[in-house]
Amino acid sequence: MTSSRPYDRIAFVGGASPEARQALTELVKTYGNRDPEDADVLVALGGDGLMLQTLHRNMRSGKPIYGMHRGTVGFLMNEYSQHDLHARLAAATDTVIHPLLMRATDIHGTTHIHHAINEVSLFRQTHQAARLRILIDERERMAELVADGIMVATPAGSTAYNLSAQGPILPINAALLALTPISPFRPRRWRGALLPDTALVAIEALEHEKRPVAAVADHDEARNVRRVEVSSDRTISMRMLFDPGHSLEERILREQFGY
């Protein structure tokens, strides 16, 4: 006899903290633990770092991921409880997000391809500021930005590093990307731009031998880059589950009124 519960087969993923390891032990004892390939849903126990790792590892699986906070930062997580997990999963709301695709070409001509859920960032590698040229859909929009760096952030990532760099918070369903400078020196008053998520953002490192630049897609890094292309990868859809009243949409909206 098959179960009518929508998420009956659960695969648990635990972080490295003692709280996460203890939660993993308790939940596996209560609900069992399936292999991720055979599961209906993945439950991540930890902080936002673990959630990002779980999303990356299961990016193309199409399986929903439900996080419970047993780590440090828990913006992407639900509150932890070992009780009524099947009922919570059945009642959870579904949020679909799409990653960024980064193509970074280094000074040797090697192309590095990585996905990012939060942001793609370019940083100066030495004490000298980076000199960057910005093109949108291959049309030059800024001939020279002198700064510590620049980033392209998704709506899901707009409340992370992007917000710390004074970038805008984007509603999760907005078809937008945030282009945000990091400590700009010239033009000093430029605060970035909002772009349609169909845009191809190309950033070229000027004087890349004298002023080397690194590109980072979430946690994957390419060093000594001379050109980086960033676009939204709509071929990949990732599903995140949130308790009713605590959806990612609601959390991002609350962040816009925080101070």
Side-chain angles (χ1 to χ4, degrees):
M1 182 176 179
T2 60
S3 171
S4 61
R5 292 183 298 205
Y7 299 124
D8 190 45
R9 298 173 298 178
I10 304 172
F12 291 100
V13 180
S17 71
E19 295 84 0
R21 306 313 299 175
Q22 181 178 353
L24 179 64
T25 299
E26 293 173 349
L27 291 168
V28 168
K29 182 178 180 180
T30 303
Y31 300 98
N33 194 13
R34 305 297 287 262
D35 186 276
E37 295 184 359
D38 188 44
D40 301 317
V41 61
L42 307 178
V43 174
L45 306 168
D48 286 354
L50 178 73
M51 174 58 80
L52 289 176
Q53 291 177 16
T54 305
L55 287 166
H56 272 280
R57 290 171 181 167
N58 299 275
M59 188 172 287
R60 298 183 183 275
S61 72
K63 296 181 186 295
I65 300 175
Y66 179 89
M68 286 200 285
H69 188 204
R70 292 284 86 185
T72 305
V73 180
F75 186 81
L76 299 176
M77 314 300 278
N78 299 285
E79 291 185 6
Y80 174 74
S81 174
Q82 67 182 97
H83 304 294
D84 301 320
L85 181 56
H86 286 299
R88 291 180 71 183
L89 291 172
T93 59
D94 202 322
T95 295
V96 177
I97 62 174
H98 306 284
L100 296 173
L101 177 64
M102 178 186 83
R103 294 178 180 271
T105 303
D106 64 27
I107 60 176
H108 306 293
T110 302
T111 300
H112 307 263
I113 300 176
H114 298 290
H115 281 94
I117 294 163
N118 275 354
E119 73 277 318
V120 171
S121 305
L122 279 73
F123 302 100
R124 61 182 175 93
Q125 287 181 199
T126 67
H127 64 282
Q128 290 187 302
R131 292 182 61 226
L132 305 170
R133 177 174 179 244
I134 303 171
L135 303 96
I136 307 299
D137 295 325
E138 296 301 346
R139 180 178 176 183
E140 182 181 278
R141 292 295 181 176
M142 185 169 290
E144 182 184 72
L145 169 68
V146 181
D148 282 354
I150 193 169
M151 77 180 78
V152 182
T154 65
S158 67
T159 57
Y161 187 24
N162 172 73
L163 180 58
S164 297
Q166 309 301 312
I169 297 175
L170 304 179
I172 190 64
N173 293 319
L176 295 170
L177 301 174
L179 181 65
T180 302
I182 303 169
S183 300
F185 177 72
R186 189 172 61 241
R188 193 178 298 273
R189 292 192 176 95
W190 187 62
R191 297 305 180 201
L194 291 177
L195 305 173
D197 65 2
T198 56
L200 172 64
V201 182
I203 303 167
E204 297 178 349
L206 306 176
E207 295 185 302
H208 48 70
E209 292 185 357
K210 178 182 178 182
R211 301 168 182 267
V213 173
V216 182
D218 283 350
H219 53 259
D220 292 305
E221 182 183 49
R223 296 181 69 80
N224 300 304
V225 299
R226 57 181 176 82
R227 179 180 166 96
V228 177
E229 297 176 357
V230 184
S231 59
S232 179
D233 191 345
R234 308 291 292 189
T235 68
I236 298 177
S237 298
M238 293 170 288
R239 298 170 58 199
M240 300 177 67
L241 298 177
F242 293 93
D243 293 331
H246 299 279
S247 66
L248 192 55
E249 294 93 328
E250 174 63 24
R251 295 174 190 212
I252 290 178
L253 187 60
R254 286 201 303 264
E255 283 289 321
Q256 295 186 65
F257 291 89
Y259 53 89

